[in-house]
Amino acid sequence: MTTALRDLISNPNTAELELIARYGMQPEDPRRERLFEAFAQIGLPTRRMEAWKWTDFKAALSALDRPASQSASDPLASEEALCFRFSPDGFEYPKDLPEGINLFVKPEPQALGSAEDVPLGALAAALAGSKTRPGTLMIEVTAADLPRLHFAFSGEGEASFARVTIVVRPGAELTVSESYLGGAGFLSSVFEYSLQGDAKVSRTVYQRGAEMETMAATALVQLEGESEYTQTSLAFGAKLARLETRLVHKEAGAKATMNAAYLVGKGLHADITTHVRHGARSCVTRQMTKGAVLDGGTGVFQGKFHVPRTAGQYTDADMQHKALLLEEGAVVFAKPELEIYADDVECAHGNTCGALDANQLFYMRQRGIPERTARALLTEAFIAEAVETAGDLKDILRHVASNWLAQS
């Protein structure tokens, strides 16, 4: 089977051969085979693929090597949260969970819908699991007023893979956070969120990596009737870092808010990619992404709203992306898209890229504020709107962003 899968990948590089070898060491399972085949038909994504043309993993990931960098500190971890910690070598989770949270640690993989659309998500699902880590971590939420669930990915190693499935039952509510802290040469995770009728989820994602690390965090979200999903992301990039969310409105009345901010320094790359399908009537989506990039950094935004002809009637959707090029040599690629077939909708999108306002900067310097401080304050104010949806965690995100700007 390994030889057949190897033949599926065109001109495999060393990293792809090592991934095939890791698959060969996993227990045989038809579901695992199906998942890895979905990845192998594509291989590591390259710039020749439209959805990945600015985030070429095959070029960046030549081999699975342990980086010299260490994991970053985790600003979202706290004593009040229930922490699940993943590393290349193991997995830790709280043994005592409150009523309303049911945990199932599955050693075997589970089927993944639309695996071909998310090749690195399919790879994560296929390679997750070992003697010390679950093949699939499944969580059922049946109540409200629960502690925050926090998932942390860190630790030094060549590669790390994880899969988490969360089902939120009707009327239940959940606050969840994810921290991707680097340390591994290649990290790939896939989260699945299923919100049933009237359920609510608030998700916050924090990502930080170094110049020798690549990572991809894939989220698949399904919303049923009258459910509400709020997502806030803050990314600082890595050699390549991609936060991808694919969301489907399955029943009428669902609402989604998807905000993100990226702050990217020299030698780093941050990719925010989203795809929203309005597969039911009278659903609402709001999306705001803001970024700031320094010389030698690269920011990527790709967003798409797909509205089918019949199912998507009465859609209300708005997508906005705004970026600051803080220095000469900063690079931002942006591609907001609307694919609309229904005729009774309210959909809009916008995209702007520019520099800090020279008049505002002059005004602040005239009042005795040093230029570096003034630039940091203006940039922090610019991205603040994008993290306001993080609830109790918004002040932490703003503080982390402020520290980065002060040191840049």
Side-chain angles (χ1 to χ4, degrees):
M1 178 57 65
T2 300
T3 302
L5 290 174
R6 176 176 175 174
D7 291 341
L8 285 176
I9 301 178
S10 176
N11 299 319
N13 64 7
T14 302
E16 290 169 324
L17 294 176
E18 291 175 328
L19 292 171
I20 292 172
R22 284 174 176 259
Y23 168 75
M25 292 186 289
Q26 293 279 4
E28 291 189 11
D29 186 291
R31 291 167 296 187
R32 191 187 307 278
E33 180 180 333
R34 167 73 177 83
L35 290 166
F36 195 82
E37 183 179 4
F39 162 74
Q41 289 177 346
I42 297 172
L44 290 173
T46 73
R47 62 182 181 180
R48 294 184 179 182
M49 301 170 61
E50 178 65 23
W52 298 82
K53 63 182 180 180
W54 297 313
T55 305
D56 190 332
F57 267 84
K58 189 162 186 174
L61 189 62
S62 57
L64 302 184
D65 295 323
R66 181 189 296 263
S69 55
Q70 296 183 344
S71 301
S73 60
D74 189 353
L76 302 186
S78 68
E79 294 182 355
E80 295 77 19
L82 300 173
C83 293
F84 300 77
R85 303 185 184 279
F86 293 80
S87 72
D89 299 321
F91 167 63
E92 300 176 7
Y93 64 97
K95 301 301 188 294
D96 297 322
L97 296 173
E99 185 176 350
I101 298 178
N102 301 314
L103 181 68
F104 307 92
V105 181
K106 301 285 188 180
E108 69 277 1
Q110 305 294 316
L112 180 68
S114 303
E116 289 81 4
D117 295 332
V118 286
L120 296 187
L123 176 68
L127 297 186
S130 65
K131 294 181 179 179
T132 58
R133 297 182 55 163
T136 308
L137 182 65
M138 305 181 70
I139 299 174
E140 179 188 35
V141 180
T142 60
D145 299 321
L146 296 169
R148 171 167 56 95
L149 303 186
H150 180 61
F151 299 87
F153 299 84
S154 62
E156 289 68 47
E158 290 83 11
S160 182
F161 306 95
R163 181 182 183 182
V164 179
T165 298
I166 299 177
V167 178
V168 186
R169 298 302 184 189
E173 299 181 14
L174 178 66
T175 300
V176 60
S177 55
E178 303 166 26
S179 291
Y180 298 90
L181 306 171
F186 176 45
L187 181 145
S188 183
S189 72
V190 57
F191 273 74
E192 298 163 272
Y193 290 93
S194 178
L195 280 65
Q196 299 182 351
D198 294 309
K200 295 182 180 180
V201 166
S202 176
R203 176 187 181 226
T204 301
V205 181
Y206 174 82
Q207 180 276 322
R208 197 149 197 168
E211 292 184 27
M212 298 307 294
E213 301 167 0
T214 58
M215 66 82 60
T218 305
L220 306 176
V221 184
Q222 295 188 347
L223 305 183
E224 296 185 7
E226 305 298 329
S227 61
E228 295 185 21
Y229 176 79
T230 302
Q231 174 176 298
T232 309
S233 304
L234 176 61
F236 290 89
K239 183 177 184 179
L240 280 188
R242 179 175 171 116
L243 304 181
E244 179 172 359
T245 304
R246 302 182 71 88
L247 184 145
V248 179
H249 291 280
K250 296 184 64 179
E251 294 182 2
K255 298 179 181 179
T257 302
M258 302 167 60
N259 288 359
Y262 57 87
L263 298 169
V264 188
K266 183 176 181 179
L268 302 180
H269 177 116
D271 179 336
I272 306 293
T273 293
T274 62
H275 184 286
V276 179
R277 177 180 172 84
H278 279 262
R281 296 188 171 206
S282 304
C283 293
V284 178
T285 300
R286 292 289 181 269
Q287 182 172 7
M288 168 63 72
T289 303
K290 290 193 172 185
V293 184
L294 297 173
D295 178 21
T298 301
V300 176
F301 170 76
Q302 297 181 107
K304 183 174 183 177
F305 291 164
H306 180 264
V307 185
R309 184 178 304 279
T310 301
Q313 298 292 350
Y314 314 122
T315 285
D316 181 359
D318 183 85
M319 176 198 307
Q320 299 295 326
H321 171 254
K322 301 178 181 180
L324 287 177
L325 304 175
L326 297 177
E327 298 174 337
E328 292 289 337
V331 176
V332 172
F333 298 106
K335 187 177 69 171
E337 292 182 87
L338 301 179
E339 186 176 345
I340 302 171
Y341 299 98
D343 55 10
D344 193 353
V345 300
E346 293 185 13
C347 293
H349 71 306
N351 176 57
T352 61
C353 293
L356 288 172
D357 189 298
N359 291 330
Q360 292 180 351
L361 190 60
F362 177 77
Y363 178 88
M364 296 178 73
R365 294 190 66 192
Q366 285 289 91
R367 278 144 185 82
I369 301 176
E371 181 178 0
R372 182 172 181 174
T373 303
R375 293 173 66 87
L377 289 172
L378 289 173
T379 305
E380 181 182 353
F382 173 77
I383 69 160
E385 179 184 7
V387 300
E388 284 297 308
T389 49
D392 293 340
L393 298 177
K394 67 180 181 181
D395 290 336
I396 296 176
L397 296 184
R398 292 190 64 172
H399 178 71
V400 173
S402 177
N403 287 343
W404 183 89
L405 290 166
Q407 297 169 9
S408 300

